[in-house]
Amino acid sequence: MAHGTSLRQRGFSLLEVLITLVVLGGGLLAIGGLYGKIMNGSAAAKERSEAVVLAEQKIEELRYTQYANIADGSDANPIAGTAASYARSWTVTTSASPTYKDVAITVSWTDSRNQSQSAVLTSRISGIDPVRSAELIATVSSSSSGTGSGTSSGTGTGSSTGSDSGTGTGTNSGTDTGTGTGTDTGTTVTTCSTSYSVTATSSSSTISGSPVSCSHNSGQSWTCSTTASSGTSVTISDDLGYATASIPAANCSSNAVTFQCSTTFSITAQTGASSITTSSGSCSNTSDKSWTCTSSAAKGTTITITDSKGSGNSAASWPSAASCGSLSHSF
């Protein structure tokens, strides 16, 4: 009896191939979208990290800026980073008591998706110079002393120290207690604001000093100020080289400072019997009608020279502006 032979077919049908392609395509699309999000997230993190670093750099820069000069501002030009271009600005809020300034640094940029982003970093800057704050801590704490005693019981040895007042615990399984008293003889340092109204030698002078900051008002008028402990030594100078009698130390109040120079007047009197006087300084007779007068005053100050017998035995006067040099006049 003959039997028919059955043939087993091998391979994939067209429908199976299509389904496989659809599933594979969907997976690839999902992976592509996820990769894009990962890249965007990485770029955003890098941009924000750069912005925070720029803000921290500005805060450190302001900390080493003279306290009186810390004010609102912004960078003149954008800052080019590796991930974006950044604009940086800062605002300052001042507190008078206690003395400090709150600084807010804002860094803004446009990210890789063309969206505006910003990061804000805030910090507080004390009105005390960081160098002087260390001195203050050392001064207050250097004279503090304390005594303490303690007893221990147990399998170990206990130890205790007292600082001003307190209790001590043994360093082993034994427990001890100690009490101490201390006396603080440190001197409290008071920091305050001192201002100086300065009259320069001339309107072309430049006034500077330490530890003060100076600003020009108009003409010969300048204002200098400092925040320092009372009694701190202050120097103020006129770049034209003229001197002032003294600069008051920081005293928590307002002070007046006038820079002066010496002007010499060579005077020829009307007669040998004349007496020459000056409104500022002194005069001396050198010979017959020749007199020499000297005066110390700010440049431009009006100095009046008077001849007691200047005209018909009547007094005559000559007003002249101090020149910080030599002048001559004949009555």
Side-chain angles (χ1 to χ4, degrees):
M1 181 176 179
H3 295 281
T5 303
S6 61
L7 300 175
R8 180 178 297 175
Q9 296 185 0
R10 299 173 181 269
F12 300 99
S13 66
L14 180 59
L15 181 59
E16 290 173 329
V17 172
L18 291 175
I19 292 172
T20 301
L21 290 175
V22 170
V23 173
L24 181 61
L28 291 174
L29 288 175
I31 292 173
L34 179 60
Y35 179 76
K37 290 182 179 180
I38 292 174
M39 294 301 294
N40 288 335
S42 176
K46 186 174 183 180
E47 292 164 358
R48 189 164 295 276
S49 176
E50 279 192 334
V52 170
V53 169
L54 290 174
E56 290 176 340
Q57 288 175 347
K58 190 61 190 180
I59 286 179
E60 289 305 311
E61 181 180 325
L62 291 175
R63 286 188 186 280
Y64 288 93
T65 299
Q66 193 167 38
Y67 183 79
N69 295 336
I70 300 176
D72 296 351
S74 61
D75 290 319
N77 300 307
I79 302 172
T82 59
S85 180
Y86 302 90
R88 184 173 61 181
S89 61
W90 52 94
T91 56
V92 178
T93 304
T94 302
S95 171
S97 181
T99 304
Y100 65 82
K101 293 184 179 182
D102 284 327
V103 180
I105 312 295
T106 302
V107 180
S108 56
W109 72 96
T110 301
D111 64 14
S112 56
R113 294 173 294 174
N114 202 32
Q115 294 182 351
S116 297
Q117 302 288 347
S118 65
V120 179
L121 198 61
T122 61
S123 183
R124 178 167 293 177
I125 300 176
S126 170
I128 301 175
D129 187 334
V131 174
R132 292 201 57 78
S133 66
E135 294 175 356
L136 173 61
I137 294 172
T139 301
V140 172
S141 63
S142 62
S143 297
S144 178
S145 62
T147 60
S149 61
T151 60
S152 171
S153 63
T155 59
T157 301
S159 63
S160 115
T161 59
S163 176
D164 289 345
S165 63
T167 60
T169 302
T171 57
N172 48 46
S173 60
T175 302
D176 65 357
T177 59
T179 60
T181 59
T183 302
D184 187 356
T185 59
T187 301
T188 302
V189 179
T190 302
T191 300
C192 58
S193 178
T194 303
S195 63
Y196 299 86
S197 297
V198 181
T199 300
T201 304
S202 73
S203 57
S204 59
S205 296
T206 297
I207 301 299
S208 60
S210 175
V212 297
S213 59
C214 300
S215 59
H216 184 218
N217 300 323
S218 62
Q220 294 170 248
S221 175
W222 288 71
T223 298
C224 299
S225 61
T226 183
T227 300
S229 59
S230 180
T232 299
S233 178
V234 172
T235 60
I236 300 176
S237 60
D238 185 320
D239 69 332
L240 293 184
Y242 302 117
T244 181
S246 63
I247 304 294
N251 54 15
C252 308
S253 62
S254 299
N255 304 273
V257 174
T258 301
F259 282 90
Q260 301 175 337
C261 61
S262 179
T263 301
T264 301
F265 300 89
S266 297
I267 305 299
T268 301
Q270 179 74 20
T271 69
S274 295
S275 177
I276 303 297
T277 57
T278 177
S279 60
S280 174
S282 60
C283 298
S284 60
N285 182 232
T286 55
S287 64
D288 192 25
K289 296 189 290 181
S290 296
W291 289 72
T292 298
C293 300
T294 57
S295 175
S296 293
K299 187 176 182 179
T301 301
T302 299
I303 307 296
T304 302
I305 309 294
T306 302
D307 186 331
S308 62
K309 300 180 180 297
S311 177
N313 285 337
S314 297
S317 297
W318 172 57
S320 176
S323 66
C324 302
S326 298
L327 296 171
S328 60
H329 180 71
S330 296
F331 283 98

